Structures are given as structure tokens and as C-alpha cells.
Amino acid sequence: MSRYRITGLSPEPFATLGALDDASLRAHGMRRIVADSPNGYPCRISLADAAPGDSVLLLTFEHHACDGPYRSSGPIYVREGATAASYDDALPAFLRTRTLSLRAYDADGWMRGARVVAGADADAALAELLDDADATEVHAHNARTGCFMCRIDRV
């Protein structure tokens, strides 16, 4: 299997959002939410579920900014004050508990393949997708809600 790396989103683009009040967030199509369960608010920066009581922001994020039909954006959670996590050749635990849609893309942003799989079984599907020499990245989405979870880059 090809080697891969998963890196959480940079916290910098989101750093100033925590200072906004709820009305200002809503005016920009965002919401502040306090996590009320241990596995319902996956942070795309820390690559972990927020703990109950943590403050998260729900906002739209463009995760595939290619020139073509697969350009995509969607809702994500970011935990206020989170730092970016990174994983080499391993999936973060928060992916293992969800049904995933894995979508492989080439360097031009064109889809090369896709799989829907239980997160606990994602290793084999990821290996298949990365066996395509033209696949440079795989996007993991929550298959139930459609939310972007993370990008998996071939290294």
C-alpha cells in the first residue's frame, strides 16, 4: 500500500472566529455549538471528536477547490483553540466510528474512484484507492451526513 498522511486543517483561518458573538457568526452563516455528546462533533483541525462541553464552530468550508465538476464545499466543525493533528499511515480514531465515503482524486482534481465503507474497515478500501498510481489524495466524508472529514494525501 502507498504511504499516506492525514493533517488536520490549519487553525489560523478560524482563529479570529471565536471572538465573534453569536449574532455576528449567524450573519456569516456560522453557528457556535456546545458539544453535548462525546462523538457527534468531529473537529477537522484536531482530527478528534470534541468532548462534551467543548465549544465548536459549525461553518461551510471549501475542501476541494479544483477547476472542474468536483469542486466541493460543505459543513465542518472546528473546535475553538484546537491545534492541528497529523497522522502517518494511520487513520484517526474519529474516522473508525463512522460510515465513510472515500473519494480518490488525481492531481487535476478529477475523481479516480470511490468507496463507501464502515470506518472500522476503511484500511482495505483506502489501500485499493491509493493503488491507483494517478490518485494523489483521498477525501473522507461522513457517508450519513455528507460532511467532509479530512483529506488523505499520498506521500
Side-chain angles (χ1 to χ4, degrees):
M1 179 175 153
S2 297
R3 298 203 44 187
Y4 65 89
R5 174 172 291 136
I6 304 170
T7 304
L9 299 176
S10 169
E12 265 118 55
F14 311 105
T16 60
L17 298 177
L20 297 177
D21 63 21
D22 288 346
S24 297
L25 287 171
R26 285 181 187 269
H28 290 94
M30 300 178 233
R31 301 288 187 273
R32 179 176 286 111
I33 299 168
V34 176
D36 60 3
S37 71
N39 61 2
Y41 304 90
C43 176
R44 288 11 179 248
I45 296 171
S46 65
L47 300 177
D49 283 300
D54 284 350
S55 179
V56 295
L57 299 175
L58 176 60
L59 56 108
T60 300
F61 178 75
E62 185 174 43
H63 56 85
H64 196 56
C66 67
D67 289 329
Y70 298 108
R71 184 179 193 110
S72 296
S73 64
I76 64 167
Y77 291 109
V78 293
R79 194 166 37 90
E80 294 185 61
T83 53
S86 181
Y87 292 81
D88 289 327
D89 302 321
L91 296 176
F94 86 128
L95 292 180
R96 300 255 181 226
T97 62
R98 292 168 167 87
T99 302
L100 302 175
S101 169
L102 301 174
R103 304 168 191 170
Y105 298 96
D106 65 19
D108 294 322
W110 289 85
M111 190 178 291
R112 300 288 305 174
R115 304 283 187 281
V116 174
V117 62
D121 302 323
D123 294 308
L126 182 58
E128 285 179 28
L129 291 168
L130 290 174
D131 277 347
D132 178 345
D134 291 327
T136 59
E137 63 190 56
V138 175
H139 292 205
H141 294 257
N142 183 321
R144 288 190 173 96
T145 60
C147 300
F148 171 75
M149 301 297 282
C150 64
R151 190 176 84 196
I152 303 162
D153 293 303
R154 179 194 301 277
V155 294

